[in-house]
Amino acid sequence: HSLSPVMHNTGFMARGVDAVYLPFLVRELKDFIAAIEPLGIRGFSITQPHKQTMLKYLTECDSLAAEIGAVNTVVVRRDGSLAGSNTDYVGVIRALEKKMRLRGSRVLIFGAGGAARAAAFAVARSGAAVGICARRETQAKELARAVSGEALPRKALRTERFDAILNATPVGMHPRSEVSPLSAGELHCRIVMDLISRPLRTKLLEIAAKKGMETVSGIEMFVPQGVAQWELWTGKRAPETEMRRAVMGALRAMTEG
């Protein structure tokens, strides 16, 4: 269901780059790593559940991705070594800064996986106070410590107030788009952002909109992080307008279908 192929391949065609972006279903990461050389792979994206595990296969990792503890982008060097980065961080900041001033705000991250880690570091480094709530309490506490934030139990969401709440879990993603990770009674904020990019309007965002809150679709993060990936792989400036148009067109077609 990923929109990454249509986004990146549109970029390649627009810039005349002789490359193709393909989806791989990876159950064992080591099997994919072994296939990089024979398949001639020059770079790749990492999705859950491999964003943290990927670190042990890298020869080089940028300092921010190492601090976050998760990568979503890998460049294959000419000698076959792997260099990792995290562009989810860029996507989160660009999406939120269009809607709010992060410095001095209070932001809740719901989740504690790879995407949640990138989001937590992004908002913390921008000057926000960060709260972490996740099903796995140990992971939530570890991430909260890493960003000098606060781990919150689920029951606290019924009374705690935030400037923004970010869903960084896959709950509500296509094809199970009828569910929401949070209920209306747990949303006490001005802005709700869902890192899920498909569907465009998740159940969570529908609930938030009914409560009169501003909503931010995962597409607002997805496109900037993809643009940053594309530029890392090619060394060229990405055709962002064309890439965004292709993604939105694909989403509309899927919705109508």
Side-chain angles (χ1 to χ4, degrees), residues 235-251:
K236 300 174 182 286
R237 185 173 179 181
E240 183 168 355
T241 301
E242 290 92 333
M243 291 165 76
R244 174 180 287 274
R245 188 182 299 125
V247 168
M248 295 304 293
L251 270 174

Side-chain angles (χ1 to χ4, degrees), residues 193-213:
M193 178 177 176
D194 203 329
L195 302 195
I196 292 170
S197 55
R198 183 184 177 196
L200 185 62
R201 195 169 181 81
T202 61
K203 187 68 175 176
L204 173 66
L205 296 186
E206 286 180 3
I207 293 170
K210 284 179 182 175
K211 291 191 70 173
M213 298 167 179

Side-chain angles (χ1 to χ4, degrees), residues 1-2 170-179 196 198-199:
H1 63 267
S2 175
V171 178
M173 182 186 292
H174 175 83
R176 295 201 60 208
S177 53
E178 75 286 352
V179 296
I196 292 170
R198 183 184 177 196

Side-chain angles (χ1 to χ4, degrees), residues 86-159:
N86 192 310
T87 67
D88 285 336
Y89 178 100
V90 175
V92 170
I93 291 177
R94 282 190 54 183
L96 282 177
E97 283 184 340
K98 291 178 181 178
K99 296 283 186 179
M100 64 185 289
R101 177 182 170 85
L102 283 166
R103 185 164 297 281
S105 67
R106 188 178 189 220
V107 179
L108 174 75
I109 310 293
F110 189 66
R117 293 188 69 85
F121 275 87
V123 296
R125 283 199 169 191
S126 297
V130 182
I132 306 291
C133 180
R135 182 169 51 86
R136 292 186 288 270
E137 191 177 326
T138 302
Q139 273 189 287
K141 287 180 177 178
E142 188 278 322
L143 179 53
R145 281 195 301 271
V147 297
S148 300
E150 176 187 12
L152 298 164
R154 180 74 181 258
K155 62 183 179 182
L157 304 191
R158 296 204 164 270
T159 54

Side-chain angles (χ1 to χ4, degrees), residues 16 19 28 42 92 104 106 164-165 169 182 203 218 232 237:
E28 295 293 336
R42 303 302 305 157
V92 170
R106 188 178 189 220
I165 294 177
T169 76
L182 296 168
K203 187 68 175 176
L232 282 169
R237 185 173 179 181

